[in-house]
Each structure stands twice: as C-alpha cells, then as structure tokens.
Amino acid sequence: MGGYAGYVWPCFLFACVVLAWNLWAARRYHAAARLRAARALLMAAGDAS
Amino acid sequence: MWTWFYKLASPPYVYGAAAALAPWFLGLAAITIGYGLVAGLAFAPPDYQQGDAFRIIYVHAPSAWMSLFAYSSMAVAGAIALIWRIKMGHAVAAASAPIGASFTVLALVTGSLWGRPMWGTYWAWDPRLTSELILLFLYVGVMSLRSAFEDPARGDRAAALLAIVGLVNVPIIHYSVLWWNSLHQGATVAKLGKPSMPGSMLWPLLSMLLGFMLFYGAVLCMRLQGEVLNRERQAKWVREAIKS
C-alpha cells in the first residue's frame, strides 16, 4: 500500500464493521418487532377468550 | 400512476414489497461491492499524487454520497407523510435515519483517516467537513425528536419537520467545495462528461456507489418491515404476516 496501509486498511475494516452492524441491527429490529406483534396478538386472543 | 402511489399507503403492501425486495437488493449489493473492492484494491493503479492512499475513496465517497441520499430520502418521505397524510412515509423516514447516520459516521471517519496523510491532520474546520458533521447532528436530532414524544404521531410529525428544514444542509455540503476555500478536493465523478479519473479507477468507484445504494435499499427494506409491524401491531393482516 505504498506506506499508507495504516490508513487504507482501517478504512476498509471500519466500512465492513458499519455494513455488518447495519445488517445485524436491521435483522434484530425486525425480529424484535415480530416478537412484540406476536405477544400483542396472544394477549388480544387471551382477552377475547 | 396514482393507483401505485396510493398502494404505497397500504401497510400490508409495503410490508410484502419490502420482504420481497430485501434479498434481491442484498444479493446485488454483494456482487457490486465485491467487484468494486477487488477492482479498487487490486487492479486500479495508484494515484500519481496520492499514491495508494487514494484507494480510501472506494469507501469514503460512496458512504458520503449515501449519507446525503439517505437524508434526502428521509426528508422526502417525511414531506409525503405530512402532505398526503400517508403514515408509511413516516415509517420510511424512521427506517432511513439510523442507516443514514451510520453512513455519515463512516464518511467522517474514513475522511479523517484520509486527511491525516494528505493534509497532515485528522480534522480541520473546513466547510465540507463541518457541514457533514452538522448532517450527523441533524440525523441524531431527527431520531431523538421522534422518540421524545409520548404520542408517536406527534413525534413523527416533529421529526419530519426537522428533516425537511435540515434538507437545506444537503446542497451546502455538495457545493461547499465550490462556494468556499476548502481543503477538500472538488467533484471527481460528478463533472458531467469529463470525470477526472481514468476508467480503471472510475468503474470500481461507480460499482461501489451502486453497491452502497443497493445495500441501503436492502437494509431499509429490513428496517421498514420492523417499523411497519411496530406501527400496525393490532391490525388483522399482521396475524397472517407473522404466521408466514
């Protein structure tokens, strides 16, 4: 990297971390929303019976 | 066209479309980012002035570009929600904010790491850097404002208003290198008809730009599904969506 490896590689590593965090956080957010919705439905079913 | 527009107001349609589109966007993003990384790191020649340090452009420029694109999308979605009272606009804006903020952090960090060997400093109160930092504060402000209200509908409206007002910062960031004396280099790709890069450097950059955009689309779709479920928890269609 012509003497710039200490600057170039951390940039690419940090980019990978940010992209991976985005994927993980989005999946986790969706999973948590599904769980909350399922609980709300269960509670509604419980109230109805 | 209006039928399609009003379909976008339907939560089950938005949820289904987001679920269907996310894997396609993610797959295409993997291909384009993969090509951009290999071509940019292994095959593009070093810059005649900056040497191999210029390769930081392959993550810095796409993240900076996406920070502006995500903000503009958030503001437009907020405006649509306010004007046409389409609730899904608020959901898109809420889903877009954290992704845009993360791209802004990435742009600031990679720009800082690029600035050290080129300018001799990690940070300067330069117009481009300062306006990009303000963009990060705007993202944080919009997200904080949305969650600051007990009534989610009021939070959505306040966040949308702030996002629309903050949109004025987007052209300031873009043209800051032209309007003021700046350490930051001028436009590289956007010079119509004559980009200041040879094809061997330009194609990997365009591929990374496209890849980051597709990645944004994929993550937006995933977050949007969660956002729609949170907002429509009591709706009948959610029961079917959760079972599937």
Side-chain angles (χ1 to χ4, degrees):
Chain A
M1 280 291 159
Y4 296 112
Y7 300 104
V8 175
W9 291 119
C11 284
F12 282 84
L13 185 68
F14 187 61
C16 288
V17 169
V18 169
L19 296 189
W21 175 83
N22 263 302
L23 268 183
W24 173 79
R27 277 179 195 275
R28 191 163 167 261
Y29 188 71
H30 183 204
R34 277 180 78 100
L35 196 65
R36 272 195 294 270
R39 274 190 196 143
L41 287 172
L42 271 176
M43 283 174 72
D47 288 345
S49 63
Chain B
M1 191 238 170
W2 285 106
T3 317
W4 174 80
F5 185 76
Y6 281 107
K7 255 189 179 176
L8 288 179
S10 155
Y13 177 80
V14 170
Y15 186 84
L21 286 172
W24 285 99
F25 282 151
L26 197 59
L28 290 170
I31 293 167
T32 45
I33 291 176
Y35 164 75
L37 278 179
V38 172
L41 285 171
F43 296 108
D47 182 69
Y48 80 108
Q49 278 183 324
Q50 302 189 26
D52 285 304
F54 104 95
R55 294 183 203 281
I56 295 172
I57 201 172
Y58 294 116
V59 283
H60 175 70
S63 54
W65 203 79
M66 286 315 300
S67 71
L68 300 181
F69 183 81
Y71 191 89
S72 306
S73 308
M74 183 176 76
V76 168
I80 288 173
L82 286 181
I83 296 165
W84 283 284
R85 296 183 185 277
I86 293 176
K87 282 189 294 182
M88 287 298 99
H90 290 307
V92 171
S96 191
I99 315 170
S102 72
F103 279 127
T104 312
V105 170
L106 181 57
L108 286 167
V109 170
T110 53
S112 184
L113 282 164
W114 197 359
R116 182 71 183 92
M118 293 302 121
W119 305 336
T121 180
Y122 285 109
W123 182 263
W125 292 102
D126 171 271
R128 172 61 71 86
L129 278 67
T130 308
S131 51
E132 186 74 13
L133 183 64
I134 291 170
L135 185 74
L136 179 62
F137 294 155
L138 279 167
Y139 273 120
V140 174
V142 167
M143 288 188 285
S144 307
L145 198 57
R146 177 169 282 109
S147 53
F149 289 84
E150 268 187 45
D151 176 11
R154 285 184 70 194
D156 278 340
R157 283 197 297 275
L161 273 176
L162 178 60
I164 292 164
V165 171
L167 199 59
V168 73
N169 191 41
V170 170
I172 292 176
I173 295 172
H174 185 72
Y175 291 108
S176 57
V177 290
L178 300 174
W179 291 345
W180 297 288
N181 286 325
S182 178
L183 278 172
H184 198 282
Q185 68 191 54
T188 307
V189 179
K191 284 195 283 184
L192 288 175
K194 202 181 179 218
S196 50
M197 281 180 135
S200 54
M201 291 175 168
L202 185 64
W203 284 113
L205 180 59
L206 293 177
S207 182
M208 289 295 276
L209 282 171
L210 180 64
F212 270 52
M213 196 171 231
L214 289 162
F215 183 84
Y216 165 75
V219 178
L220 181 74
C221 286
M222 288 178 194
R223 274 194 175 273
L224 189 55
Q225 289 175 78
E227 202 64 51
V228 173
L229 282 182
N230 276 339
R231 287 157 189 264
E232 296 288 311
R233 213 174 291 163
Q234 310 294 344
K236 273 185 187 172
W237 69 267
V238 169
R239 195 171 307 161
E240 300 304 317
I242 286 176
K243 276 181 191 164
S244 64

PDB file of all heavy atoms in Angstrom, chain A residues 27-43, chain B residues 15 226 229-230 233 238 242:
ATOM      1  N   ARG A  27     -31.896  -6.711  11.113  1.00  0.00           N
ATOM      2  CA  ARG A  27     -32.497  -8.038  11.364  1.00  0.00           C
ATOM      3  C   ARG A  27     -33.039  -8.113  12.790  1.00  0.00           C
ATOM      4  O   ARG A  27     -34.117  -8.643  13.034  1.00  0.00           O
ATOM      5  CB  ARG A  27     -31.446  -9.137  11.163  1.00  0.00           C
ATOM      6  CG  ARG A  27     -31.271  -9.525   9.722  1.00  0.00           C
ATOM      7  CD  ARG A  27     -30.209 -10.600   9.598  1.00  0.00           C
ATOM      8  NE  ARG A  27     -29.762 -10.742   8.234  1.00  0.00           N
ATOM      9  CZ  ARG A  27     -30.375 -11.491   7.326  1.00  0.00           C
ATOM     10  NH1 ARG A  27     -31.459 -12.142   7.658  1.00  0.00           N
ATOM     11  NH2 ARG A  27     -29.924 -11.575   6.100  1.00  0.00           N
ATOM     12  N   ARG A  28     -32.247  -7.581  13.732  1.00  0.00           N
ATOM     13  CA  ARG A  28     -32.633  -7.630  15.148  1.00  0.00           C
ATOM     14  C   ARG A  28     -33.899  -6.787  15.371  1.00  0.00           C
ATOM     15  O   ARG A  28     -34.803  -7.184  16.103  1.00  0.00           O
ATOM     16  CB  ARG A  28     -31.477  -7.079  15.985  1.00  0.00           C
ATOM     17  CG  ARG A  28     -31.637  -7.324  17.446  1.00  0.00           C
ATOM     18  CD  ARG A  28     -30.319  -7.146  18.172  1.00  0.00           C
ATOM     19  NE  ARG A  28     -30.567  -7.076  19.606  1.00  0.00           N
ATOM     20  CZ  ARG A  28     -30.632  -5.943  20.282  1.00  0.00           C
ATOM     21  NH1 ARG A  28     -30.445  -4.795  19.670  1.00  0.00           N
ATOM     22  NH2 ARG A  28     -30.858  -5.941  21.570  1.00  0.00           N
ATOM     23  N   TYR A  29     -33.937  -5.624  14.702  1.00  0.00           N
ATOM     24  CA  TYR A  29     -35.093  -4.727  14.838  1.00  0.00           C
ATOM     25  C   TYR A  29     -36.360  -5.403  14.318  1.00  0.00           C
ATOM     26  O   TYR A  29     -37.412  -5.357  14.954  1.00  0.00           O
ATOM     27  CB  TYR A  29     -34.806  -3.437  14.047  1.00  0.00           C
ATOM     28  CG  TYR A  29     -35.829  -2.361  14.253  1.00  0.00           C
ATOM     29  CD1 TYR A  29     -35.911  -1.677  15.453  1.00  0.00           C
ATOM     30  CD2 TYR A  29     -36.717  -2.009  13.236  1.00  0.00           C
ATOM     31  CE1 TYR A  29     -36.849  -0.678  15.651  1.00  0.00           C
ATOM     32  CE2 TYR A  29     -37.658  -1.019  13.413  1.00  0.00           C
ATOM     33  CZ  TYR A  29     -37.720  -0.352  14.619  1.00  0.00           C
ATOM     34  OH  TYR A  29     -38.651   0.632  14.815  1.00  0.00           O
ATOM     35  N   HIS A  30     -36.216  -6.066  13.158  1.00  0.00           N
ATOM     36  CA  HIS A  30     -37.365  -6.760  12.566  1.00  0.00           C
ATOM     37  C   HIS A  30     -37.811  -7.914  13.467  1.00  0.00           C
ATOM     38  O   HIS A  30     -39.011  -8.095  13.720  1.00  0.00           O
ATOM     39  CB  HIS A  30     -36.989  -7.256  11.168  1.00  0.00           C
ATOM     40  CG  HIS A  30     -38.136  -7.908  10.459  1.00  0.00           C
ATOM     41  ND1 HIS A  30     -37.947  -8.824   9.460  1.00  0.00           N
ATOM     42  CD2 HIS A  30     -39.475  -7.804  10.614  1.00  0.00           C
ATOM     43  CE1 HIS A  30     -39.131  -9.245   9.027  1.00  0.00           C
ATOM     44  NE2 HIS A  30     -40.070  -8.640   9.704  1.00  0.00           N
ATOM     45  N   ALA A  31     -36.837  -8.692  13.967  1.00  0.00           N
ATOM     46  CA  ALA A  31     -37.162  -9.845  14.828  1.00  0.00           C
ATOM     47  C   ALA A  31     -37.860  -9.370  16.105  1.00  0.00           C
ATOM     48  O   ALA A  31     -38.841  -9.989  16.552  1.00  0.00           O
ATOM     49  CB  ALA A  31     -35.895 -10.618  15.161  1.00  0.00           C
ATOM     50  N   ALA A  32     -37.370  -8.278  16.689  1.00  0.00           N
ATOM     51  CA  ALA A  32     -37.980  -7.753  17.923  1.00  0.00           C
ATOM     52  C   ALA A  32     -39.398  -7.269  17.652  1.00  0.00           C
ATOM     53  O   ALA A  32     -40.306  -7.486  18.470  1.00  0.00           O
ATOM     54  CB  ALA A  32     -37.120  -6.616  18.477  1.00  0.00           C
ATOM     55  N   ALA A  33     -39.617  -6.645  16.480  1.00  0.00           N
ATOM     56  CA  ALA A  33     -40.955  -6.158  16.121  1.00  0.00           C
ATOM     57  C   ALA A  33     -41.916  -7.329  15.933  1.00  0.00           C
ATOM     58  O   ALA A  33     -43.076  -7.272  16.352  1.00  0.00           O
ATOM     59  CB  ALA A  33     -40.883  -5.321  14.854  1.00  0.00           C
ATOM     60  N   ARG A  34     -41.430  -8.425  15.317  1.00  0.00           N
ATOM     61  CA  ARG A  34     -42.261  -9.629  15.123  1.00  0.00           C
ATOM     62  C   ARG A  34     -42.676 -10.206  16.471  1.00  0.00           C
ATOM     63  O   ARG A  34     -43.824 -10.584  16.669  1.00  0.00           O
ATOM     64  CB  ARG A  34     -41.472 -10.695  14.345  1.00  0.00           C
ATOM     65  CG  ARG A  34     -41.502 -10.505  12.848  1.00  0.00           C
ATOM     66  CD  ARG A  34     -40.708 -11.607  12.186  1.00  0.00           C
ATOM     67  NE  ARG A  34     -41.481 -12.836  12.141  1.00  0.00           N
ATOM     68  CZ  ARG A  34     -42.123 -13.252  11.046  1.00  0.00           C
ATOM     69  NH1 ARG A  34     -42.068 -12.547   9.943  1.00  0.00           N
ATOM     70  NH2 ARG A  34     -42.797 -14.366  11.053  1.00  0.00           N
ATOM     71  N   LEU A  35     -41.688 -10.232  17.384  1.00  0.00           N
ATOM     72  CA  LEU A  35     -41.951 -10.783  18.718  1.00  0.00           C
ATOM     73  C   LEU A  35     -42.994  -9.941  19.456  1.00  0.00           C
ATOM     74  O   LEU A  35     -43.939 -10.483  20.053  1.00  0.00           O
ATOM     75  CB  LEU A  35     -40.637 -10.812  19.505  1.00  0.00           C
ATOM     76  CG  LEU A  35     -40.619 -11.687  20.755  1.00  0.00           C
ATOM     77  CD1 LEU A  35     -40.777 -13.150  20.378  1.00  0.00           C
ATOM     78  CD2 LEU A  35     -39.306 -11.487  21.517  1.00  0.00           C
ATOM     79  N   ARG A  36     -42.829  -8.629  19.368  1.00  0.00           N
ATOM     80  CA  ARG A  36     -43.788  -7.724  20.042  1.00  0.00           C
ATOM     81  C   ARG A  36     -45.184  -7.877  19.449  1.00  0.00           C
ATOM     82  O   ARG A  36     -46.177  -7.922  20.171  1.00  0.00           O
ATOM     83  CB  ARG A  36     -43.325  -6.267  19.908  1.00  0.00           C
ATOM     84  CG  ARG A  36     -42.380  -5.832  21.022  1.00  0.00           C
ATOM     85  CD  ARG A  36     -42.260  -4.323  21.053  1.00  0.00           C
ATOM     86  NE  ARG A  36     -41.615  -3.818  19.845  1.00  0.00           N
ATOM     87  CZ  ARG A  36     -40.301  -3.648  19.737  1.00  0.00           C
ATOM     88  NH1 ARG A  36     -39.509  -3.928  20.749  1.00  0.00           N
ATOM     89  NH2 ARG A  36     -39.782  -3.178  18.631  1.00  0.00           N
ATOM     90  N   ALA A  37     -45.240  -7.994  18.110  1.00  0.00           N
ATOM     91  CA  ALA A  37     -46.542  -8.144  17.446  1.00  0.00           C
ATOM     92  C   ALA A  37     -47.178  -9.478  17.836  1.00  0.00           C
ATOM     93  O   ALA A  37     -48.386  -9.553  18.082  1.00  0.00           O
ATOM     94  CB  ALA A  37     -46.360  -8.052  15.938  1.00  0.00           C
ATOM     95  N   ALA A  38     -46.366 -10.543  17.902  1.00  0.00           N
ATOM     96  CA  ALA A  38     -46.891 -11.856  18.278  1.00  0.00           C
ATOM     97  C   ALA A  38     -47.434 -11.818  19.709  1.00  0.00           C
ATOM     98  O   ALA A  38     -48.494 -12.385  19.997  1.00  0.00           O
ATOM     99  CB  ALA A  38     -45.790 -12.909  18.154  1.00  0.00           C
ATOM    100  N   ARG A  39     -46.692 -11.162  20.602  1.00  0.00           N
ATOM    101  CA  ARG A  39     -47.161 -11.038  22.001  1.00  0.00           C
ATOM    102  C   ARG A  39     -48.476 -10.267  22.067  1.00  0.00           C
ATOM    103  O   ARG A  39     -49.387 -10.641  22.809  1.00  0.00           O
ATOM    104  CB  ARG A  39     -46.097 -10.305  22.830  1.00  0.00           C
ATOM    105  CG  ARG A  39     -45.053 -11.261  23.347  1.00  0.00           C
ATOM    106  CD  ARG A  39     -44.176 -10.563  24.359  1.00  0.00           C
ATOM    107  NE  ARG A  39     -42.954 -11.330  24.568  1.00  0.00           N
ATOM    108  CZ  ARG A  39     -41.773 -10.800  24.762  1.00  0.00           C
ATOM    109  NH1 ARG A  39     -41.607  -9.499  24.759  1.00  0.00           N
ATOM    110  NH2 ARG A  39     -40.716 -11.557  24.975  1.00  0.00           N
ATOM    111  N   ALA A  40     -48.562  -9.186  21.281  1.00  0.00           N
ATOM    112  CA  ALA A  40     -49.785  -8.374  21.276  1.00  0.00           C
ATOM    113  C   ALA A  40     -50.967  -9.212  20.797  1.00  0.00           C
ATOM    114  O   ALA A  40     -52.070  -9.131  21.353  1.00  0.00           O
ATOM    115  CB  ALA A  40     -49.595  -7.154  20.386  1.00  0.00           C
ATOM    116  N   LEU A  41     -50.728 -10.065  19.774  1.00  0.00           N
ATOM    117  CA  LEU A  41     -51.803 -10.920  19.257  1.00  0.00           C
ATOM    118  C   LEU A  41     -52.215 -11.958  20.292  1.00  0.00           C
ATOM    119  O   LEU A  41     -53.405 -12.231  20.473  1.00  0.00           O
ATOM    120  CB  LEU A  41     -51.346 -11.607  17.968  1.00  0.00           C
ATOM    121  CG  LEU A  41     -51.260 -10.711  16.731  1.00  0.00           C
ATOM    122  CD1 LEU A  41     -50.609 -11.443  15.581  1.00  0.00           C
ATOM    123  CD2 LEU A  41     -52.663 -10.242  16.332  1.00  0.00           C
ATOM    124  N   LEU A  42     -51.223 -12.542  20.986  1.00  0.00           N
ATOM    125  CA  LEU A  42     -51.520 -13.539  22.017  1.00  0.00           C
ATOM    126  C   LEU A  42     -52.351 -12.922  23.142  1.00  0.00           C
ATOM    127  O   LEU A  42     -53.313 -13.526  23.622  1.00  0.00           O
ATOM    128  CB  LEU A  42     -50.212 -14.077  22.602  1.00  0.00           C
ATOM    129  CG  LEU A  42     -49.600 -15.284  21.885  1.00  0.00           C
ATOM    130  CD1 LEU A  42     -48.265 -15.654  22.501  1.00  0.00           C
ATOM    131  CD2 LEU A  42     -50.557 -16.477  21.965  1.00  0.00           C
ATOM    132  N   MET A  43     -51.955 -11.705  23.532  1.00  0.00           N
ATOM    133  CA  MET A  43     -52.684 -11.023  24.600  1.00  0.00           C
ATOM    134  C   MET A  43     -54.111 -10.716  24.177  1.00  0.00           C
ATOM    135  O   MET A  43     -55.055 -10.883  24.944  1.00  0.00           O
ATOM    136  CB  MET A  43     -51.962  -9.731  25.006  1.00  0.00           C
ATOM    137  CG  MET A  43     -50.746  -9.996  25.894  1.00  0.00           C
ATOM    138  SD  MET A  43     -49.828  -8.519  26.227  1.00  0.00           S
ATOM    139  CE  MET A  43     -50.928  -7.680  27.326  1.00  0.00           C
TER     140      MET A  43
ATOM    141  N   TYR B  15     -45.187  -3.868   3.537  1.00  0.00           N
ATOM    142  CA  TYR B  15     -44.507  -4.960   4.251  1.00  0.00           C
ATOM    143  C   TYR B  15     -44.119  -6.072   3.267  1.00  0.00           C
ATOM    144  O   TYR B  15     -42.985  -6.551   3.272  1.00  0.00           O
ATOM    145  CB  TYR B  15     -45.418  -5.506   5.351  1.00  0.00           C
ATOM    146  CG  TYR B  15     -44.756  -6.536   6.228  1.00  0.00           C
ATOM    147  CD1 TYR B  15     -43.974  -6.150   7.315  1.00  0.00           C
ATOM    148  CD2 TYR B  15     -44.896  -7.897   5.969  1.00  0.00           C
ATOM    149  CE1 TYR B  15     -43.351  -7.096   8.120  1.00  0.00           C
ATOM    150  CE2 TYR B  15     -44.274  -8.845   6.771  1.00  0.00           C
ATOM    151  CZ  TYR B  15     -43.514  -8.442   7.844  1.00  0.00           C
ATOM    152  OH  TYR B  15     -42.892  -9.376   8.628  1.00  0.00           O
ATOM    153  N   GLY B 226     -39.790  -4.074  10.173  1.00  0.00           N
ATOM    154  CA  GLY B 226     -39.918  -3.927  11.624  1.00  0.00           C
ATOM    155  C   GLY B 226     -40.734  -2.704  11.993  1.00  0.00           C
ATOM    156  O   GLY B 226     -41.598  -2.753  12.889  1.00  0.00           O
ATOM    157  N   LEU B 229     -44.442  -3.336  11.323  1.00  0.00           N
ATOM    158  CA  LEU B 229     -45.008  -4.224  12.356  1.00  0.00           C
ATOM    159  C   LEU B 229     -45.222  -3.473  13.667  1.00  0.00           C
ATOM    160  O   LEU B 229     -46.241  -3.655  14.330  1.00  0.00           O
ATOM    161  CB  LEU B 229     -44.084  -5.412  12.598  1.00  0.00           C
ATOM    162  CG  LEU B 229     -44.115  -6.539  11.565  1.00  0.00           C
ATOM    163  CD1 LEU B 229     -43.180  -7.661  11.989  1.00  0.00           C
ATOM    164  CD2 LEU B 229     -45.512  -7.078  11.373  1.00  0.00           C
ATOM    165  N   ASN B 230     -44.252  -2.630  14.038  1.00  0.00           N
ATOM    166  CA  ASN B 230     -44.391  -1.859  15.283  1.00  0.00           C
ATOM    167  C   ASN B 230     -45.599  -0.933  15.241  1.00  0.00           C
ATOM    168  O   ASN B 230     -46.256  -0.712  16.245  1.00  0.00           O
ATOM    169  CB  ASN B 230     -43.130  -1.007  15.506  1.00  0.00           C
ATOM    170  CG  ASN B 230     -42.034  -1.814  16.176  1.00  0.00           C
ATOM    171  OD1 ASN B 230     -42.308  -2.828  16.806  1.00  0.00           O
ATOM    172  ND2 ASN B 230     -40.793  -1.369  16.048  1.00  0.00           N
ATOM    173  N   ARG B 233     -49.260  -3.198  14.912  1.00  0.00           N
ATOM    174  CA  ARG B 233     -49.287  -4.385  15.768  1.00  0.00           C
ATOM    175  C   ARG B 233     -50.693  -4.969  15.945  1.00  0.00           C
ATOM    176  O   ARG B 233     -50.870  -6.159  16.038  1.00  0.00           O
ATOM    177  CB  ARG B 233     -48.729  -3.979  17.128  1.00  0.00           C
ATOM    178  CG  ARG B 233     -47.979  -5.049  17.820  1.00  0.00           C
ATOM    179  CD  ARG B 233     -47.348  -4.492  19.069  1.00  0.00           C
ATOM    180  NE  ARG B 233     -46.278  -3.548  18.784  1.00  0.00           N
ATOM    181  CZ  ARG B 233     -45.787  -2.697  19.666  1.00  0.00           C
ATOM    182  NH1 ARG B 233     -46.276  -2.649  20.876  1.00  0.00           N
ATOM    183  NH2 ARG B 233     -44.797  -1.873  19.350  1.00  0.00           N
ATOM    184  N   VAL B 238     -51.499  -8.434  10.244  1.00  0.00           N
ATOM    185  CA  VAL B 238     -50.237  -8.755  10.917  1.00  0.00           C
ATOM    186  C   VAL B 238     -50.234 -10.228  11.367  1.00  0.00           C
ATOM    187  O   VAL B 238     -49.204 -10.897  11.323  1.00  0.00           O
ATOM    188  CB  VAL B 238     -50.008  -7.788  12.112  1.00  0.00           C
ATOM    189  CG1 VAL B 238     -48.857  -8.246  12.977  1.00  0.00           C
ATOM    190  CG2 VAL B 238     -49.769  -6.372  11.606  1.00  0.00           C
ATOM    191  N   ILE B 242     -47.184 -12.672  10.431  1.00  0.00           N
ATOM    192  CA  ILE B 242     -46.323 -13.285  11.455  1.00  0.00           C
ATOM    193  C   ILE B 242     -46.308 -14.812  11.316  1.00  0.00           C
ATOM    194  O   ILE B 242     -45.272 -15.441  11.482  1.00  0.00           O
ATOM    195  CB  ILE B 242     -46.797 -12.866  12.866  1.00  0.00           C
ATOM    196  CG1 ILE B 242     -46.404 -11.419  13.098  1.00  0.00           C
ATOM    197  CG2 ILE B 242     -46.185 -13.738  13.939  1.00  0.00           C
ATOM    198  CD1 ILE B 242     -46.885 -10.871  14.405  1.00  0.00           C
TER     199      ILE B 242
END
